[in-house]
Amino acid sequence: MANQFDVVVIGAGPAGYVCAIRAAQLGLKTACIEKWTDDKGKTMLGGTCLNVGCIPSKALLDSSHKFVEAQNDFALHGINHSGVEMDVPQMIARKDKIVNTLTTGVGGLFKANKVTLFEGAGKVLANKQVELIKGDGSVEIIDTKNVVIATGSRPVEIPPTPIDNDLIVDSTGALKFQEIPKRLGVIGAGVIGLELGSVWGRLGSEVIVLEAMDRFLSAADEQIAKESLKIFKKQGMDIRMSARVTSSEIKNGEVHVTYADADGNDNVVVFDKLVVAVGRRPYTESLLSPDSGVNMDERGFIFVDEHCVTDVPGVYAIGDVVRGPMLAHKGSEEGIMVADIIAGHVGHMNYELIPSVIYTHPEIAWVGKTEQELKAEGVDYKMGSFPFAASGRALAANEKEGMVKVISDKKSDRILGIHVVGPSAAELVQQGVIAMEFAASTEDLALTIFAHPTLSEALHEAVLAVDGQAIHIANRKRR
Ligand code: FAD
Ligand code: AMP
């Protein structure tokens, strides 16, 4: 059949578009369906990540960080100036321009790789058939040998704080405020809440973050999480743990939020804007016909095996819509694995080594096992850490907060986890990911030459500290 595809990918986020490009590179006849349109009806590629996620949030984090530097840090370097002002519409316009460049770029990559783009919503029917529902309501069946579902996720909404896209917004709304809210509430001290709270807090909002759990960043290494919370509190961020939001009310253009604290007492806080950042859920609305054969797990994620195969052979699912961390790089790698498998190659992904990053200042990043996980698993480990306060490069850059922590197997010395809070934490942890992918021991890294002066030396010293051999700190007793 002339119009039969080898692969049809539903969703052009970082999971779907990467999968489509790799499939086409491998010589497969590939199409991608995307339904996201802007307010003028133009199809937008790149999914959550490029449009309302990773990229726009980082653009605003960079702008707001520069503002803080100009306001607080320049004088320290002897750069005297006055009258630093924030032009919020310009900051937002810069962010929108970056988003536009990148989303348009995905379209260019599709053309260059001969990926056919179908504009509209995709639906998986029985026997691996895909239905395309176009914007005008017309319907077309696309014949394909393989289907890849990459429909991503949506923000979770909670009944106490219904989104009105004016005073109460989700993460998407918090990326387009046109002025700095005087009092900003953030529900959820997860990655997204902390990043968006940082953006507006740096620009002058009084930010209060309300978090239901009693432990800050429970997925992170406990020591790093505690250190991070200490740093954020010192910076003036008001993070209230054990604060479960139970209701809200809009009165005279303000949001009155009620939360229950650890003692069960009700507290009310009043905000000019409220950001609800309580997590994301898999997005599968109108995606599966009842006879598609594709099933979901109890939390609504499409059920897949370790190679992202659903209950229907030839139908795969990748990215935020399946189990595992909701991270762009996780979805992209799954996309590559699936394309490789469809093309008849060996497809593999190491789920043990997916790095996590929180782009606050300082950044928090980690890969591998935390100390509390290893304790729970009964693994005998050793640990070394190094504070940035002892790093020459960090001091030169006035970035002395935080630390690098390395954990390795006590017997084999193989590195099991790397945890960083501090300057360029994401880049430092990435070095660790490479080392761990090659099953490095701390000795391997200890014998590696690190350029001086670099922040990376803190990783080197932490690795040396595992066996009590760090040079620039008084070493703790060996474990
Ligand atoms: P998505 O990016 O959600 O893309 C899915 C696509 O499928 C969308 O374009 C959607 O329109 C389309 N679609 C859905 N249903 C259909 C259908 N039936 N037919 C056709 N198309 C359909 N991750 C990181 O790794 N690093 C970060 O720094 C980071 N920062 C973030 C900041 C914010 C504010 C947010 C909200 C998220 C952030 N994330 C970050 C998470 C990241 O954005 C997601 O993990 C990633 O986008 C998931 O990719 P995906 O391709 O699975 O899904
Ligand atoms: P994440 O899933 O990492 O984006 O984090 C979302 C956070 O929101 C989690 O830590 C939740 O505990 C928190 N959360 C969810 N519901 C509420 C609520 N009603 N009040 C306060 N925090 C909440």
Side-chain angles (χ1 to χ4, degrees), residues 11-13 16-18 20-21 24 31-34 45 104-118:
Y17 86 73
V18 169
I21 290 172
C32 186
I33 306 178
E34 176 54 63
L45 304 177
T104 312
V106 175
L109 291 172
F110 273 5
K111 280 203 186 93
N113 287 283
K114 301 199 171 38
V115 173
T116 303
L117 172 65
F118 288 114

Side-chain angles (χ1 to χ4, degrees), residues 158 187-188 190-191 210-213 243-245 277-279:
I158 50 173
I187 310 181
V191 179
L210 301 171
E211 167 57 55
M213 304 231 289
R244 177 172 295 280
V245 173
V278 294

Side-chain angles (χ1 to χ4, degrees), residues 204-242:
S205 293
E206 296 157 20
V207 179
I208 298 179
V209 182
L210 301 171
E211 167 57 55
M213 304 231 289
D214 59 352
R215 242 192 67 204
F216 184 58
L217 293 179
S218 56
D221 183 87
E222 226 171 284
Q223 187 186 4
I224 295 290
K226 274 192 190 141
E227 180 73 17
S228 309
L229 186 59
K230 213 163 74 192
I231 297 171
F232 294 147
K233 286 203 161 151
K234 210 165 110 192
Q235 288 175 354
M237 221 194 255
D238 186 348
I239 302 174
R240 302 188 188 175
M241 304 304 295
S242 302

Side-chain angles (χ1 to χ4, degrees), residues 325-407:
M326 287 180 156
L327 294 169
H329 43 284
K330 176 264 193 183
S332 298
E333 287 307 314
E334 286 180 332
I336 286 179
M337 169 176 74
V338 163
D340 284 346
I341 292 171
I342 294 173
H345 300 291
V346 176
H348 174 72
M349 155 138 187
N350 185 357
Y351 282 95
E352 298 294 313
L353 292 185
I354 301 172
S356 296
V357 184
I358 307 174
Y359 293 86
T360 41
H361 194 88
E363 289 177 355
I364 305 164
W366 68 92
V367 65
K369 301 279 186 186
T370 61
E371 240 189 298
Q372 65 266 22
E373 279 170 341
L374 292 171
K375 274 186 194 144
E377 290 169 19
V379 176
D380 232 0
Y381 63 89
K382 45 188 182 169
M383 193 274 283
S385 61
F386 189 79
F388 283 102
S391 151
R393 188 72 185 90
L395 289 192
N398 193 32
E399 296 276 10
K400 55 184 185 300
E401 307 262 39
M403 65 194 280
V404 179
K405 169 170 174 174
V406 174
I407 311 173

Side-chain angles (χ1 to χ4, degrees), residues 28-157:
L28 299 167
K29 191 173 173 197
T30 306
C32 186
I33 306 178
E34 176 54 63
K35 70 173 183 182
W36 194 319
T37 53
D38 68 5
D39 44 16
K40 295 186 194 83
K42 185 183 153 212
T43 298
M44 301 300 285
L45 304 177
T48 303
C49 172
L50 264 49
N51 289 286
V52 293
C54 324
I55 298 300
S57 58
K58 264 79 261 176
L60 298 189
L61 280 160
D62 278 346
S63 296
S64 56
H65 182 59
K66 285 193 191 307
F67 179 69
V68 170
E69 282 191 318
Q71 228 182 17
N72 301 343
D73 300 343
F74 279 9
L76 192 71
H77 292 272
I79 306 168
N80 293 320
H81 61 81
S82 58
V84 175
E85 276 175 20
M86 194 65 217
D87 177 347
V88 176
Q90 163 58 20
M91 174 182 79
I92 299 292
R94 185 191 88 97
K95 179 259 303 179
D96 290 341
K97 203 168 157 211
I98 295 162
V99 168
N100 191 44
T101 304
L102 290 171
T103 52
T104 312
V106 175
L109 291 172
F110 273 5
K111 280 203 186 93
N113 287 283
K114 301 199 171 38
V115 173
T116 303
L117 172 65
F118 288 114
E119 298 176 324
K123 185 169 187 169
V124 184
L125 310 179
N127 303 320
K128 283 192 311 190
Q129 293 303 288
V130 173
E131 187 177 71
L132 170 69
I133 304 120
K134 297 184 194 161
D136 61 7
S138 63
V139 169
E140 192 181 307
I141 300 291
I142 306 172
D143 195 32
T144 179
K145 292 182 193 153
N146 298 279
V147 181
V148 182
I149 298 168
T151 50
S153 62
R154 284 283 181 280
V156 167
E157 288 189 39

